[in-house]
Amino acid sequence: VLEPPPVRAQKWALFLVSASILLAAHCRVLTGIFECAAVTLLVLLLILQGNIRPQDGSPPISFSHIASQVFGVFYVGYLPSYWIRLRALAPALPDGAPSGFLTGLLHIIRWPLERSIGCCVCVSCVLCIIAADSCAYFGGKAWGKTPLILVSPNKTQEGAYCGLVGSVVMAVLCDQMWGFPSDTRMAVLAGTVIFCASLLGDLVVSAMKRDARVKDTGSLIPGHGGILDRFDSYFFAAPVAYFCWYAYLKYHARLPASLIRFKP
């Protein structure tokens, strides 16, 4: 089990460094974020805890402490930062997009529409995750019989198939509504990789909980497995979706040199 350092200041340092990663992503810093954050935490770990003598005679700093800091900043800082990168993809939507139905619907509810690919793929990714989770849950309840993996005994293969179908169908619907990428094959691919990444995130948290012998990752959201169980799929889906659309735009030569655009 990864054990956090006993020094409370180090726990706050992890939170602040993770928040700084999100800020750095917003300020166009695209490389070296994770490396700098990890080194900063390790230096703080040595300074804050290196000279403390534990009462049980164990070393002041263990490998578990080091691993928890590096993995912690990767999990709660670096992975979520890809939502900022995904949202800030610069190219505008093609002419005629989004569809008249979506434009009319947003006009009725007075919701402002930004005609950018970043907005399109960000919303589509969220909807695919929601569809995957919902279809996997209800499909597993209705037809689930075959266990998927021992790490998460409540998940079934039938539920996973339903989640995959839900994600793909939602991706195709988003493709029709947004008018991007106007390619059913690409929409199916995007829905598939988003589902696989969201499932991976769910299983990773399940493995961590079983290793730590806890039922929930926290008490902030009672009855839902904890805060990480609500966002585990989103943490892993964002990087996959970002690189998926990055490769697509790069292949079609629609990515400018700046890669991303930020509002002033």
Side-chain angles (χ1 to χ4, degrees):
V1 179
L2 296 181
E3 297 180 358
V7 179
R8 183 176 295 274
Q10 189 68 23
K11 300 176 184 179
W12 281 105
L14 175 59
F15 170 77
L16 293 175
V17 171
S18 298
S20 69
I21 291 180
L22 302 178
L23 179 61
H26 179 69
C27 295
R28 306 189 191 189
V29 181
L30 301 179
T31 59
I33 301 178
F34 173 68
E35 293 85 347
C36 292
V39 170
T40 300
L41 284 174
L42 293 180
V43 170
L44 290 175
L45 181 63
L46 291 173
I47 294 174
L48 296 174
Q49 195 169 325
N51 291 321
I52 296 178
R53 296 181 180 275
Q55 296 180 354
D56 58 2
S58 61
I61 299 176
S62 65
F63 177 77
S64 181
H65 294 155
I66 297 173
S68 68
Q69 294 295 285
V70 175
F71 179 77
V73 73
F74 170 78
Y75 192 78
V76 300
Y78 186 63
L79 291 181
S81 72
Y82 275 93
W83 280 106
I84 298 176
R85 303 187 189 193
L86 186 66
R87 176 62 180 83
L89 283 174
L93 289 171
D95 295 337
S99 67
F101 173 79
L102 180 60
T103 303
L105 177 62
L106 294 177
H107 178 73
I108 293 175
I109 64 177
R110 299 184 182 277
W111 192 276
L113 173 65
E114 181 179 337
R115 300 177 184 273
S116 69
I117 289 178
C119 179
C120 163
V121 297
C122 222
V123 173
S124 299
C125 185
V126 171
L127 293 177
C128 285
I129 295 173
I130 294 174
D133 288 345
S134 301
C135 290
Y137 176 79
F138 290 109
K141 286 287 187 181
W143 302 295
K145 294 180 180 179
T146 309
L148 178 64
I149 189 172
L150 293 178
V151 167
S152 185
N154 292 329
K155 291 182 173 56
T156 62
Q157 295 182 17
E158 293 81 4
Y161 293 141
C162 291
L164 174 60
V165 172
S167 179
V168 170
V169 170
M170 180 58 70
V172 173
L173 290 176
C174 289
D175 175 51
Q176 297 296 319
M177 292 295 100
W178 283 98
F180 176 83
S182 294
D183 185 345
T184 303
R185 293 174 299 178
M186 184 60 195
V188 170
L189 175 62
T192 301
V193 297
I194 289 173
F195 165 75
C196 293
S198 66
L199 178 61
L200 174 63
D202 199 357
L203 295 178
V204 166
V205 170
S206 296
M208 290 192 297
K209 291 195 298 184
R210 289 179 68 86
D211 185 47
R213 295 179 176 85
V214 296
K215 183 177 182 296
D216 298 331
T217 56
S219 57
L220 184 61
I221 309 179
H224 288 268
I227 188 69
L228 288 183
D229 277 336
R230 294 298 90 200
F231 294 100
D232 50 10
S233 299
Y234 296 87
F235 286 175
F236 280 78
V240 172
Y242 174 81
F243 285 112
C244 178
W245 292 115
Y246 176 91
Y248 176 83
L249 294 173
K250 192 73 172 179
Y251 176 77
H252 289 275
R254 299 190 58 182
L255 200 62
S258 61
L259 298 183
I260 52 179
R261 177 188 65 205
F262 291 90
K263 294 181 180 179

